[in-house]
């Protein structure tokens, strides 16, 4: 079965550079979530989209932005990168919004971002 | 504000033992609770999802229970194996769409 696909798998950037992470949800899933997981920490919610509209916002820095496209894939854009942005970035997808459908979230393998 | 805590933070057991991982949450107004497994540097694998109206879910050697009124969930792993070694995370879906994760339990099962 198709899973959530994230690219790239690894990314190395320098401070003040920009990065774009991509997420391709499971086919027919219309909701995408982005999470950030620092070393030894639990995943922290950044932002989510439902039907191409932002549905919720968490601890996402102003330097970051994201969007969901017409084919439901999503991109997380990160500018003015800082050392503290080094983390594993997960994308997850689900069908519909959980409060109405009780659908599981399925996570991708993540993008490991290292800022030097 | 919803807070999710997992106890113990780390657990090391010999192969074959039955074990229980605990998850507690401060706000019982949840829609569902999901247990995940995470291998080092890897993604999150969904294990079980319990809806707020359910009391437990089973999958193979795994059994998860939910007591919403007391804000607790447990993950029971029967006959543990070295391949079960991983970090186990519980996450609750609260009043909004996002999942709020617990602090995780790092499990090591040795032969």
């Amino acid at each position: 079965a198709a899973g959530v696909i994230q690219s790239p798998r690894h990314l190395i950037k320098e401070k003040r550079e920009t990065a774009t992470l991509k997420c391709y949800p499971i086919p027919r899933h219309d909701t995408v979530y982005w999470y950030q997981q620092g070393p030894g920490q639990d995943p922290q919610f950044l932002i989510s989209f439902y039907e191409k509209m932002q549905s919720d916002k968490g601890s996402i820095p102003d330097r970051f932005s994201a969007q969901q496209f017409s084919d439901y894939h999503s991109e997380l854009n990160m500018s003015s990168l800082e050392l503290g942005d080094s983390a594993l970035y997960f994308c997850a997808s689900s069908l519909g919004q959980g409060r109405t459908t009780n659908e599981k979230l399925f996570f991708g393998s993540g993008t490991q971002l290292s800022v030097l | 504000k919803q807070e999710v805590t997992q106890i113990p933070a780390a657990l090391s057991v010999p192969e074959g033992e039955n074990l229980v991982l605990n998850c507690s949450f401060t706000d019982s107004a949840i829609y569902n609770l999901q247990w995940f497994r995470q291998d080092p540097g890897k993604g999150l694998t969904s294990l079980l999802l319990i809806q707020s109206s359910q009391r437990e879910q089973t999958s193979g050697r795994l059994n998860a229970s939910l007591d919403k009124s007391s804000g607790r969930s447990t993950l029971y792993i029967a006959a543990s194996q070295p391949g079960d070694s991983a970090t186990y995370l519980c996450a609750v879906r609260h009043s909004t769409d996002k999942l709020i994760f617990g602090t995780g339990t790092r499990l090591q099962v040795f032969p």
Side-chain angles (χ1 to χ4, degrees):
Chain A
V4 178
I5 298 173
Q6 291 187 246
S7 66
R9 186 71 180 89
H10 302 275
L11 189 58
I12 299 175
K13 291 286 185 178
E14 296 191 354
K15 283 187 345 181
R16 292 180 288 279
E17 285 192 325
T18 60
T20 297
L21 310 185
K22 296 185 179 182
C23 169
Y24 297 86
I26 291 173
R28 293 191 302 278
H29 280 192
D30 51 17
T31 308
V32 169
Y33 312 79
W34 285 97
Y35 284 82
Q36 176 192 58
Q37 186 178 30
Q41 298 179 359
D42 50 286
Q44 296 295 315
F45 172 74
L46 294 178
I47 195 167
S48 63
F49 293 87
Y50 169 63
E51 282 291 343
K52 293 153 278 184
M53 299 288 290
Q54 181 181 308
S55 57
D56 198 2
K57 192 173 181 180
S59 52
I60 184 169
D62 292 339
R63 299 177 289 108
F64 294 5
S65 65
Q67 58 181 323
Q68 186 179 31
F69 295 86
S70 58
D71 63 352
Y72 296 103
H73 94 272
S74 178
E75 294 183 3
L76 177 65
N77 298 294
M78 311 160 72
S79 63
S80 303
L81 287 169
E82 302 174 356
L83 297 178
D85 296 329
S86 296
L88 190 55
Y89 289 83
F90 287 111
C91 169
S93 75
S94 70
L95 180 61
Q97 292 180 299
R99 61 172 173 264
T100 57
T101 67
N102 264 316
E103 288 285 331
K104 281 183 184 179
L105 262 66
F106 293 86
F107 282 77
S109 299
T111 293
Q112 180 66 58
L113 173 66
S114 298
V115 181
L116 306 179
Chain B
K1 179 188 172 187
Q2 177 74 274
E3 293 183 1
V4 184
T5 307
Q6 291 184 244
I7 294 173
L11 186 61
S12 183
V13 300
E15 182 177 8
E17 275 203 7
N18 302 322
L19 48 97
V20 175
L21 309 182
N22 297 292
C23 172
S24 61
F25 44 95
T26 55
D27 190 334
S28 61
I30 65 170
Y31 289 91
N32 57 52
L33 183 145
Q34 202 167 343
W35 281 93
F36 293 89
R37 168 189 172 136
Q38 185 175 30
D39 294 283
K42 299 291 179 63
L44 298 165
T45 300
S46 178
L47 299 173
L48 291 163
L49 179 145
I50 310 178
Q51 297 180 17
S52 61
S53 59
Q54 296 176 326
R55 300 284 292 185
E56 65 177 328
Q57 282 286 329
T58 298
S59 176
R61 294 182 294 109
L62 305 179
N63 176 277
S65 66
L66 174 64
D67 184 343
K68 201 173 79 161
S69 60
S70 66
R72 293 179 185 174
S73 176
T74 60
L75 179 66
Y76 176 82
I77 303 177
S80 58
Q81 303 170 358
D84 295 331
S85 299
T87 296
Y88 290 80
L89 294 157
C90 70
V92 299
R93 178 160 267 163
H94 190 41
S95 56
T96 56
D97 299 329
K98 61 180 178 286
L99 287 179
I100 299 173
F101 282 85
T103 46
T105 293
R106 192 170 61 255
L107 172 66
Q108 182 180 9
V109 181
F110 54 90

